[in-house]
């Protein structure tokens, strides 16, 4: 085992991001320490993370009281608090952002999932939130669902950096990449720079959780990594395509593949399964705090994923023979994920309402 595992991952060329944000993490200096000591170069967030941060801490109470007096409530109050936290985090990553020529050092903020079926409202909120934060290294998270793809294209065309979320397969990733490239191509036609940054987030662990009680034991906890490897091959294919290279010649940069949902759910599996198994150059792995600490404590020196996806097709075929309908499951995972985001959002707003009433 190698206590320098985060450094080795960075040297391999993969960015290590933290999937967590709280005011306590900022105030205590813990995030700064992770940047300095554990090679963390970016950060992601989601409604559940903010729900727990706000409802389980008193760190936000004084600010909530002030904002309530200003007439803020509900979603507007949440975005005020979230942008405060993420702006501070973005400033901590500003050095990384500059040093890497704006390739790395990003933080992410999600648009309201209640707008999922309203493309125009999603775009308007994405533009407003990005302007409100006023940080070049803030990505706006938009789901890569069928309904979200037009919003992703429009946001990129408008120059808003995007973190495409809720991708579960190579096919869904390719649809998101197409939306990104279309947005860039429209910018070129309009005489605008195609240099608008983006990441495409593939959710990994939910595959293994979905089939945990299906198939033979030897296939357990192999599906998520196999999907990740297959998607990495698709990602490399996009980067090497004539279409992207034409844009790159005009100043575009890659929409980097990001491995998300990398916390291990099975207690019998290695707690760094999705870090060790998905170490890929020029990608991102965003991990929960517990996974980061486990990887720093006892992670092995990572081996790079093969360009061709390695044994992914063989593993996926084995799962198909065991009865897993992979395309159908990918669609269900994305649909369930979108519904889960809505549920988490409502819970977050409920937590803010409860907290607000307790502070009046």
């Amino acid at each position: 085992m190698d206590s320098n595992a985060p450094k080795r991952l960075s040297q391999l060329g993969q960015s290590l991001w933290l999937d967590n944000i709280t005011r306590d993490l900022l105030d205590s200096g813990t995030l700064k320490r992770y940047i300095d000591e554990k090679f963390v170069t970016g950060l992601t967030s989601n409604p559940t993370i903010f729900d727990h941060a706000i409802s389980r801490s008193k760190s936000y109470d004084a600010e909530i009281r002030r904002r309530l007096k200003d007439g803020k409530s509900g979603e507007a109050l949440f975005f005020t608090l979230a942008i405060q936290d993420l702006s501070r985090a973005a400033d901590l990553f500003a050095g990384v952002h500059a040093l890497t020529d704006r390739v790395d050092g990003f933080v992410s903020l999600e648009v309201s999932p209640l707008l999922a079926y309203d493309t125009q409202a999603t775009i308007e909120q994405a533009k407003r939130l990005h302007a409100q934060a006023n940080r070049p290294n803030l990505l706006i998270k938009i789901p890569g669902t069928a309904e979200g793809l037009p919003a992703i294209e429009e946001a990129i065309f408008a120059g808003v950096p995007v973190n495409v979320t809720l991708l579960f397969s190579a096919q869904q990733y390719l649809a998101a990449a197409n939306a990104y490239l279309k947005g860039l191509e429209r910018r070129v036609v309009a005489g605008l720079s195609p240099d608008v940054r983006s990441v495409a987030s593939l959710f990994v662990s939910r595959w293994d959780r979905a089939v945990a009680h299906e198939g033979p034991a030897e296939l357990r906890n192999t599906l998520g990594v196999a999907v990740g490897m297959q998607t990495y091959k698709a990602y490399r294919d996009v980067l090497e395509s004539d279409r992207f290279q034409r844009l790159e010649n005009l100043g575009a940069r890659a929409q980097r593949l990001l491995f998300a949902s990398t916390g291990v759910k099975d207690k019998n599996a290695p707690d760094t399964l999705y870090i060790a198994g998905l170490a890929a150059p020029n990608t991102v792995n965003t991990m929960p705090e517990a996974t980061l600490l486990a990887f720093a404590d006892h992670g092995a020196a990572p081996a790079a994923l093969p360009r061709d996806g390695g044994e992914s097709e063989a593993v996926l075929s084995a799962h198909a023979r065991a009865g897993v309908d992979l395309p159908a499951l990918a669609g269900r995972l994305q649909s369930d994920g979108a519904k889960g985001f809505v549920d988490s959002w409502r819970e977050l707003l409920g937590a803010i309402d409860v907290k607000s009433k307790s502070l009046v």
Side-chain angles (χ1 to χ4, degrees):
M1 293 302 177
D2 185 357
S3 61
N4 289 320
K7 181 178 181 179
R8 298 287 184 88
L9 192 65
S10 176
Q11 290 172 335
L12 182 143
Q14 185 173 58
S15 298
L16 191 162
W17 290 7
L18 179 68
D19 189 24
N20 191 28
I21 180 69
T22 69
R23 196 151 293 190
D24 291 338
L25 196 70
L26 293 162
D27 291 344
S28 66
T30 301
L31 180 58
K32 179 64 165 60
R33 190 170 70 253
Y34 288 164
I35 294 170
D36 294 339
E37 299 176 5
K38 303 193 187 306
F39 296 86
V40 171
T41 58
L43 179 148
T44 50
S45 66
N46 60 52
T48 299
I49 287 171
F50 274 113
D51 179 359
H52 293 168
I54 293 169
S55 63
R56 301 178 183 181
S57 168
K58 295 183 179 181
S59 300
Y60 297 87
D61 291 5
E63 184 65 19
I64 290 174
R65 285 195 185 95
R66 283 194 292 271
R67 297 299 172 174
L68 289 172
K69 291 178 181 178
D70 294 339
K72 296 276 188 182
S73 63
E75 194 172 271
L77 175 56
F78 160 68
F79 279 126
T80 297
L81 299 174
I83 287 174
Q84 287 176 348
D85 283 0
L86 289 169
S87 294
R88 290 176 61 188
D91 291 344
L92 288 175
F93 290 113
V96 173
H97 193 60
L99 184 64
T100 59
D101 193 23
R102 300 181 295 122
V103 170
D104 208 348
F106 285 96
V107 302
S108 298
L109 174 64
E110 195 155 7
V111 294
S112 169
L114 304 181
L115 303 177
Y117 298 100
D118 191 332
T119 298
Q120 191 57 41
T122 297
I123 297 163
E124 290 173 0
Q125 187 176 78
K127 291 165 69 174
R128 184 168 60 251
L129 292 173
H130 194 260
Q132 187 176 340
N134 193 30
R135 297 296 190 280
N137 54 335
L138 175 75
L139 297 167
I140 300 298
K141 296 175 77 172
I142 302 176
T145 58
E147 297 79 16
L149 294 175
I152 292 163
E153 177 186 338
E154 291 295 334
I156 294 299
F157 177 64
V160 176
V162 174
N163 177 345
V164 181
T165 66
L166 283 181
L167 302 176
F168 288 89
S169 67
Q171 291 72 28
Q172 291 173 6
Y173 157 72
L174 288 171
N178 181 58
Y180 175 64
L181 294 175
K182 286 172 67 175
L184 296 185
E185 288 164 344
R186 288 174 57 195
R187 287 182 64 84
V188 170
V189 170
L192 301 170
S193 168
D195 186 4
V196 182
R197 305 305 169 97
S198 179
V199 297
S201 297
L202 182 80
F203 285 46
V204 181
S205 66
R206 298 185 191 185
W207 280 98
D208 289 322
R209 183 166 48 176
V211 299
H213 304 293
E214 302 176 24
E218 61 267 23
L219 290 179
R220 194 158 299 157
N221 296 313
T222 63
L223 185 52
V225 168
V227 169
M229 294 172 71
Q230 183 189 54
T231 305
Y232 176 64
K233 179 184 182 300
Y235 166 65
R236 292 291 300 268
D237 289 343
V238 169
L239 296 188
E240 294 170 20
S241 68
D242 290 342
R243 184 183 184 189
F244 174 70
Q245 288 183 22
R246 281 194 296 270
L247 288 165
E248 188 176 36
N249 288 337
L250 296 170
R253 299 299 292 263
Q255 177 192 47
R256 290 203 296 166
L257 178 63
L258 181 152
F259 297 111
S261 185
T262 57
V264 177
K265 307 301 189 290
D266 185 350
K267 295 181 180 179
N268 295 315
D271 53 6
T272 61
L273 173 67
Y274 304 115
I275 315 304
L278 295 170
N282 304 313
T283 65
V284 181
N285 195 315
T286 185
M287 56 193 76
E289 195 168 0
T291 305
L292 166 67
L293 296 176
F295 185 61
D297 178 67
H298 53 262
L305 285 188
R307 157 69 179 87
D308 62 0
E311 62 181 8
S312 60
E313 295 300 332
V315 175
L316 294 174
S317 294
H319 279 279
R321 289 194 299 272
V324 179
D325 186 333
L326 296 169
L329 181 53
R332 178 164 62 83
L333 287 171
Q334 189 177 67
S335 176
D336 289 350
K339 292 174 183 175
F341 270 17
V342 171
D343 292 342
S344 296
W345 192 262
R346 296 189 189 282
E347 290 173 6
L348 166 63
L349 296 182
I352 289 175
D353 184 56
V354 169
K355 173 75 79 165
S356 298
K357 289 177 180 176
S358 72
L359 296 173
V360 172

